Amino acid sequence: MKRAFLFLTSLIVISAGIAFCAKSKEPKTMLYKVKNVSDVKELFPNSPKEIESATEHYIQTAQEAIDKIVAIPSEKRTFANTIKAFDDIEGLSDLALFAGIAEVLQYTCPNDAIRAAAHDALIKIQEFAVDALSNNVILYKAIKSYADNQAKNEQLSAEERYYLNKTMDDFKRSGLDLPVETLDEVKKLKKELASLQLDFETNVSSDNRTISVQASDLAGLSEDFLASLKKTEDGAFILGVDVPTFIMVMENCSVEQTRKALNAAHENRGYPANEKVLNSVIAKRDRMAKLLGFASFADYDLSNQMVESVDRAENFIAQLMEKAHVKEQQEFDEVITDLAPGVHLTDDGKLKIWDAAYAKNYFKKKHYNVDEQKVAEYFPMEKTVKGLLDIYQQFLSLTLKEVPVSGYWHEDVKLVETYDAKTNQLIGYLLLDLHPRPHKYTHACHIGVLPSTYAKDQMIPAVSVVVANFPKSTAHKPSLLKRKDVSTFFHEFGHALHALLGRTQIASLAGTQVKRDFVELPSQMLEEWLKDKEILKQVSSHYQTDEPMDDGLIERIVALNNFGSGAFLQSQLFYSLISLQFYKDGENKNCSQIYKDLYAQCKKNIAYDPEDHMYAAFGHLMGYGARYYGYMWSKVFALDMFDTIKKGGLLNPETGDKYVATVIGKGGSEDPNVLLHNFLGREPNQEAFLRDMGLNVQDDAAQAIVAQKIPQPVGAHI
Ligand SMILES: [Zn+2]
């Protein structure tokens, strides 16, 4: 007995020793570094040299981890040592995290050399990921060996089983079952594509073309706006192609020539360089899809999505397009009854593209009595952000605290700590980079850096970055957000909350790592909050008087909800068709011709402009591939869900809890069809979406397209 006791005691000592050793090694990986606010800053390197050496080092350690998985004798494979180990590389390794960090720097860092180094690092990481992970036959065989043998008997959670099935499917979609020569070609194509995609994005983000105009060319724009513009040496005003400047000018400048020139600059970002890049991407993606056994890249791209097939996506688009045309025609007929002075229709009765936003804004101001610039006075940025955070705090039971920080890639960067209000547990950090500057990504986006997951069963704080381009405060006035800006903020915050709250055991399934045609659901749903009278009252506060918007203005804004919804839907479906057509069968595509044909087919009341090459800056053609339809697809579900939430109260924390527990909290660990069904308690339908858009609801056929058969519970078989 005594001896046994001693033996036990010594075991405890030894294991404590091992635990201590393991702990002392932890800080070497990035994952364990983030324990408090100042650690977050340390994630971001400050020099190209640091980026280069980190990339080399992280690639090497990832390779060692892969070698370790491969070296395990096949009879000793377990979920932990094979599949979870693979997930650790994919989702938690320094290399995986550094990819997010490099992406942030590539899109935001003002320093040219750092941006270039981040760009090179991303290319290297993506090439490594193709060679060593997604197309590594030896690794695939190791994982397949586990899937074919031990996985059949090992007790796995539903999430683990889902991940195993997904991993095997991803390997098959990478062509790992193909003969070696074919696989080699796929690998080569993937690498070339990774580099081309980055080129495309960089050609857009680094395109800072401007036009310079005289004060008289800026009639209709406010003094404040003029004061915010940079000037040339000889005193001319410089207009950039960043989104706030572009929208402000297109909606308000009464000088046609200025709108025309800025529109041409904006619609030619990335052109002509990206025409060539795009043609190459299309040809290589087509070739790759065919090698993998699909009819086209679009077929390949949609086959593992909610929508499942190109046919189904096209049906979805066609049915909505019919309704969009009807609504858009009504809107057009209304707007042309009172055209802004100086705006004339073309000979065939259409609006010129550079007149469209101006004519609509003119009509809106006059007949709906809503002047967006006046409305913006109720949305000073600081207060609006606070109001928005308050909404999330209430609905999602969170505590969001802004903490003063400095020393990030730019002084504009702000940091918000996110806590679970019930347990006071830190959930993660949110970095906000919200103002435009040269060489910064010109749209809004969310980039995940640390996933919402666990490391060795320990909850680790997630880190996310929201990038946007809201106007900056001037000496006399705070930054005033337009409704569109506020809506964009709600949208990107929706992604960020999905990333922070979607905590899963499997890192590669955390947060926003869901099917692409589902990922825009949480973000688009949060946009809907802004259409509610009570919420508008809560987040608005006039920058001079602190008064919320009065009831009359709120009523007029709500009445405006459907103004332009037909044109909006038409545009979204137009972009969806572009992305499908570009990637349907065929290596050699005449992008400009397809664009022109689809324009004529979709935009019935806006004249086609041969100088318009919008597709050369259409970044979604890279990351979203053929899946742009996913925005409207997921919006249909978002509206269905919003409708249900609204019935329980938009600030009702119980509904918020249910939303987190059944939808966003699950990240990508379950089929989205199942998540939707679990939240709604029924199959989703299009009714709320059609009603919200002011479209005809009485059409069963249109609703049926979304109704899904709920798949079998996941996990029983591989
Ligand atoms: Zn989005």
Side-chain angles (χ1 to χ4, degrees):
M1 284 292 286
K2 211 170 177 182
R3 194 173 163 77
F5 179 70
L6 277 174
F7 179 65
L8 267 179
T9 313
S10 65
L11 252 188
I12 289 164
V13 172
I14 290 166
S15 66
I18 290 167
F20 179 73
C21 286
K23 210 173 172 194
S24 71
K25 278 182 187 165
E26 278 177 2
K28 285 192 177 165
T29 70
M30 215 188 300
L31 191 63
Y32 295 93
K33 278 186 187 160
V34 181
K35 301 241 193 286
N36 55 49
V37 175
S38 55
D39 297 335
V40 180
K41 188 171 67 188
E42 301 304 317
L43 291 172
F44 298 91
N46 288 316
S47 72
K49 212 171 159 47
E50 249 182 275
I51 295 175
E52 280 162 34
S53 60
T55 310
E56 292 301 326
H57 177 60
Y58 297 152
I59 283 180
Q60 196 192 329
T61 47
Q63 185 60 57
E64 285 162 13
I66 293 166
D67 294 343
K68 215 170 141 193
I69 296 178
V70 170
I72 296 167
S74 57
E75 70 280 5
K76 296 216 167 132
R77 294 203 175 280
T78 61
F79 185 87
N81 70 21
T82 303
I83 309 301
K84 184 67 186 93
F86 177 68
D87 170 55
D88 285 347
I89 301 167
E90 267 207 318
L92 285 180
S93 65
D94 282 343
L95 188 67
L97 308 182
F98 196 66
I101 289 163
E103 203 174 354
V104 172
L105 293 176
Q106 180 191 240
Y107 283 141
T108 60
C109 188
N111 180 305
D112 292 347
I114 290 182
R115 268 199 330 280
H119 177 89
D120 291 347
L122 280 170
I123 291 178
K124 270 194 197 145
I125 294 169
Q126 284 174 4
E127 286 191 354
F128 174 80
V130 172
D131 270 343
L133 287 166
S134 67
N135 281 34
N136 181 341
V137 180
I138 300 167
L139 179 65
Y140 168 60
K141 284 188 178 152
I143 287 173
K144 191 171 186 310
S145 154
Y146 170 77
D148 289 346
N149 298 292
Q150 290 92 337
K152 291 185 172 148
N153 301 316
E154 191 172 349
Q155 279 282 353
L156 300 181
S157 68
E159 182 179 327
E160 289 167 343
R161 190 68 70 179
Y162 186 85
Y163 178 63
L164 175 62
N165 291 343
K166 183 182 171 297
T167 304
M168 291 305 290
D169 187 49
D170 288 347
F171 273 121
K172 282 193 187 122
R173 288 172 61 81
S174 288
L176 282 264
D177 278 346
L178 296 172
V180 180
E181 313 80 68
T182 321
L183 180 60
D184 282 347
E185 194 181 341
V186 170
K187 270 193 212 175
K188 190 167 160 274
L189 285 166
K190 274 195 178 175
K191 279 190 204 169
E192 289 165 357
L193 279 164
S195 162
L196 283 167
Q197 282 164 234
L198 278 174
D199 287 348
F200 188 96
E201 281 151 11
T202 310
N203 285 342
V204 179
S205 63
S206 63
D207 189 332
N208 291 302
R209 62 183 83 197
T210 55
I211 63 166
S212 47
V213 293
Q214 301 304 316
S216 59
D217 298 322
L218 294 169
L221 292 157
S222 68
E223 286 300 321
D224 285 336
F225 178 72
L226 264 57
S228 74
L229 294 174
K230 290 207 168 89
K231 288 185 179 178
T232 61
E233 278 175 10
D234 52 3
F237 290 90
I238 299 172
L239 296 177
V241 288
D242 58 280
V243 177
T245 305
F246 177 67
I247 292 179
M248 184 65 89
V249 172
M250 297 313 286
E251 287 187 343
N252 298 292
C253 181
S254 60
V255 182
E256 180 179 356
Q257 195 47 43
T258 307
R259 294 197 307 270
K260 186 178 176 183
L262 189 63
N263 184 67
H266 187 264
E267 300 303 313
N268 279 292
R269 284 167 304 140
Y271 185 83
N274 271 349
E275 175 107 39
K276 214 172 138 204
V277 178
L278 183 58
N279 281 333
S280 245
V281 168
I282 290 171
K284 286 181 198 297
R285 280 181 163 173
D286 187 69
R287 173 83 188 134
M288 185 184 79
K290 283 174 177 152
L291 291 172
L292 292 169
F294 291 85
S296 71
F297 182 74
D299 285 281
Y300 164 80
D301 217 18
L302 270 55
S303 63
N304 67 347
Q305 299 296 304
M306 282 180 85
V307 77
E308 290 172 355
S309 72
V310 174
D311 273 359
R312 201 143 170 256
E314 285 182 335
N315 279 340
F316 170 77
I317 293 168
Q319 291 191 19
L320 280 186
M321 186 65 101
E322 232 173 82
K323 290 173 187 290
H325 281 329
V326 175
K327 177 72 171 43
E328 190 272 342
Q329 189 64 47
Q330 291 165 0
E331 293 160 6
F332 178 79
D333 292 344
E334 194 184 4
V335 166
I336 61 170
T337 57
D338 188 6
L339 277 177
V343 172
H344 304 286
L345 298 182
T346 57
D347 291 345
D348 53 354
K350 297 179 180 184
L351 272 169
K352 285 170 251 168
I353 185 170
W354 53 86
D355 285 344
Y358 179 64
K360 271 184 204 165
N361 194 38
Y362 172 85
F363 189 90
K364 192 164 75 176
K365 277 196 277 192
K366 194 166 162 187
H367 296 274
Y368 285 82
N369 196 13
V370 173
D371 179 340
E372 295 293 358
Q373 294 193 65
K374 289 258 179 317
V375 173
E377 294 181 356
Y378 288 91
F379 294 121
M381 198 174 105
E382 300 286 326
K383 280 190 184 163
T384 308
V385 170
K386 199 183 160 302
L388 175 126
L389 298 186
D390 282 347
I391 288 175
Y392 295 133
Q393 295 194 116
Q394 287 182 59
F395 179 60
L396 298 169
S397 308
L398 298 172
T399 307
L400 299 161
K401 283 188 210 160
E402 192 186 324
V403 181
V405 288
S406 61
Y408 280 88
W409 57 90
H410 193 271
E411 60 188 16
D412 285 349
V413 177
K414 293 194 157 87
L415 186 142
V416 176
E417 284 182 331
T418 309
Y419 293 89
D420 181 326
K422 289 179 206 149
T423 61
N424 222 10
Q425 172 131 39
L426 176 68
I427 294 170
Y429 302 99
L430 189 55
L431 293 165
L432 306 173
D433 183 355
L434 302 180
H435 300 298
R437 58 178 173 267
H439 306 295
K440 186 180 154 183
Y441 181 66
T442 53
H443 284 273
C445 68
H446 158 261
I447 303 171
V449 175
L450 290 193
S452 178
T453 184
Y454 303 84
K456 302 195 195 309
D457 290 332
Q458 222 187 326
M459 195 166 146
I460 51 165
V463 178
S464 266
V465 182
V466 167
V467 178
N469 286 284
F470 303 137
K472 237 182 157 169
S473 305
T474 64
H476 314 290
K477 234 185 200 178
S479 165
L480 298 175
L481 300 183
K482 297 182 83 178
R483 276 194 314 139
K484 179 113 191 43
D485 296 330
V486 184
S487 168
T488 299
F489 198 15
F490 268 74
H491 181 103
E492 299 308 337
F493 224 89
H495 285 308
L497 289 172
H498 195 182
L500 295 182
L501 298 173
R503 194 167 292 275
T504 53
Q505 292 285 345
I506 301 288
S508 313
L509 298 176
T512 56
Q513 298 175 99
V514 296
K515 288 182 191 284
R516 199 44 83 85
D517 57 1
F518 182 72
V519 75
E520 298 295 338
L521 185 150
S523 50
Q524 297 195 93
M525 194 184 77
L526 285 182
E527 287 178 36
E528 295 301 310
W529 256 251
L530 254 198
K531 293 181 182 170
D532 181 80
K533 290 178 192 171
E534 288 307 311
I535 299 289
L536 277 170
K537 195 136 220 160
Q538 188 171 328
V539 292
S540 61
S541 166
H542 195 278
Y543 81 102
Q544 286 166 324
T545 64
D546 287 341
E547 288 290 317
M549 283 195 272
D550 63 70
D551 293 341
L553 181 56
I554 289 181
E555 290 292 340
R556 295 199 299 281
I557 286 176
V558 172
L560 253 184
N561 276 347
N562 283 330
F563 179 80
S565 65
F568 166 79
L569 182 56
Q570 207 180 54
S571 289
Q572 290 298 308
L573 299 172
F574 169 54
Y575 300 143
S576 307
L577 285 173
I578 293 173
S579 82
L580 281 172
Q581 291 283 336
F582 280 7
Y583 290 122
K584 275 174 81 171
D585 188 25
E587 284 198 22
N588 297 313
K589 293 282 170 76
N590 183 338
C591 294
S592 124
Q593 189 62 44
I594 295 173
Y595 183 73
K596 185 180 171 186
D597 293 345
L598 285 175
Y599 203 103
Q601 185 189 318
C602 303
K603 301 252 183 175
K604 302 225 184 264
N605 290 309
I606 310 287
Y608 169 73
D609 171 21
E611 299 301 313
D612 173 1
H613 300 96
M614 163 269 167
Y615 55 85
F618 189 14
H620 288 83
L621 288 172
M622 300 297 117
Y624 276 59
R627 296 170 295 189
Y628 192 86
Y629 74 92
Y631 273 100
M632 286 304 100
W633 178 263
S634 53
K635 193 171 170 92
V636 168
F637 300 123
L639 266 293
D640 201 359
M641 199 174 268
F642 177 74
D643 209 43
T644 310
I645 289 175
K646 197 168 177 177
K647 282 173 192 151
L650 288 180
L651 297 174
N652 182 345
E654 277 175 33
T655 321
D657 282 353
K658 187 180 174 193
Y659 173 59
V660 174
T662 56
V663 186
I664 55 170
K666 297 283 181 188
S669 66
E670 275 185 56
D671 188 296
N673 291 302
V674 177
L675 301 184
L676 277 171
H677 193 271
N678 288 348
F679 181 81
L680 296 168
R682 58 168 168 78
E683 293 193 5
N685 64 58
Q686 290 193 337
E687 197 186 317
F689 174 80
L690 296 175
R691 213 180 330 113
D692 182 73
M693 289 272 174
L695 305 176
N696 180 17
V697 183
Q698 308 306 323
D699 184 344
D700 292 344
Q703 292 178 39
I705 192 80
V706 171
Q708 294 262 354
K709 264 210 159 114
I710 299 302
Q712 293 298 309
V714 284
H717 300 285
I718 295 160

